[in-house]
């Protein structure tokens, strides 16, 4: 009985082994693929965050510039201004508001009241080479004309 028990213990010990080389290689391959996918996801998230930051900064610059139109930047038809702010380049064009078929009443009202509607377009660009990006912003501002036809 003792010899049979000793044989069973000996057989069970010899069958207990570690992982085979194939199992280790397969586990490493699964780990490497998962790690590569995770890195790709993180890289894409960082790229998207950077792009969103750039568009947000461009929007804030455009909003700041459009707030200055009529105060620091003269509000007159045909005017064009440009400049730089950090890594961003901007250009502002001001022209008479043409409108569309849907808002002809606002143009007629401007003829009656002497209030001129001017469209302000602000183009903000950034980047260089093949990575240049730009965003266009537009608004309409009211402008009161005096008797000389010059805005007040």
């Amino acid at each position: 009985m003792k010899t049979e028990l000793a044989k069973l213990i000996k057989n069970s010990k010899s069958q207990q082994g570690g992982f085979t080389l194939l199992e280790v290689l397969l586990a490493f391959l699964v780990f490497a693929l998962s790690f590569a996918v995770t890195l790709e996801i993180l890289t894409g998230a960082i790229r998207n965050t950077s792009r969103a930051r750039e568009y947000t900064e461009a929007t804030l610059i455009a909003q700041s510039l459009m707030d200055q139109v009529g105060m620091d930047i003269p509000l007159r038809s045909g005017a064009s201004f440009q400049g730089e702010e950090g890594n961003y380049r901007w250009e502002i064009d001001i022209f008479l508001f043409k409108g569309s078929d849907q808002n002809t009443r606002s143009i007629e009202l401007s003829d009656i009241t002497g209030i001129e509607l001017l469209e302000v377009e602000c183009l903000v660009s950034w980047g260089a080479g093949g990575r240049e990006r730009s965003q266009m912003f537009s608004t309409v501002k009211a402008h009161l004309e005096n008797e000389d036809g010059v805005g007040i």
Side-chain angles (χ1 to χ4, degrees):
M1 180 105 155
K2 269 187 165 184
T3 57
E4 288 179 31
L5 184 58
K7 283 182 184 179
L8 284 174
I9 291 174
K10 185 178 179 187
N11 285 341
S12 67
K13 282 185 180 179
S14 66
Q15 290 177 355
Q16 288 181 351
F19 294 104
T20 65
L21 181 60
L22 183 61
E23 291 171 329
V24 170
L25 288 175
L26 186 60
F28 182 74
L29 179 66
V30 168
F31 170 74
L33 288 174
S34 338
F35 188 69
V37 168
T38 303
L39 280 179
E40 185 63 32
I41 290 170
L42 288 175
T43 303
I46 290 170
R47 192 177 318 117
N48 287 339
T49 301
S50 175
R51 193 172 297 141
R53 179 188 53 81
E54 290 171 346
Y55 276 101
T56 300
E57 286 180 8
T59 302
L60 290 173
I61 289 170
Q63 182 178 6
S64 173
L65 290 167
M66 287 187 162
D67 287 344
Q68 292 176 30
V69 171
M71 298 175 80
D72 296 336
I73 299 174
L75 181 62
R76 55 178 197 271
S77 181
S80 183
F81 306 93
Q82 47 186 299
E84 289 186 20
E85 198 164 319
N87 296 329
Y88 297 86
R89 297 166 306 284
W90 55 267
E91 184 177 333
I92 292 179
D93 292 314
I94 303 170
F95 48 90
L96 283 173
F97 179 67
K98 294 180 183 120
S100 65
D101 295 339
Q102 298 165 344
N103 56 13
T104 54
R105 288 185 180 160
S106 63
I107 295 171
E108 291 169 0
L109 183 61
S110 70
D111 291 338
I112 295 170
T113 61
I115 296 174
E116 187 176 48
L117 296 178
L118 297 173
E119 187 165 355
V120 179
E121 284 187 350
C122 180
L123 176 69
V124 181
S125 333
W126 63 96
R131 299 184 152 253
E132 186 168 341
R133 291 191 172 84
S134 63
Q135 186 68 37
M136 175 67 78
F137 302 90
S138 179
T139 189
V140 175
K141 292 208 174 215
H143 183 252
L144 182 61
E145 287 188 341
N146 63 14
E147 296 81 32
D148 302 333
V150 179
I152 299 176

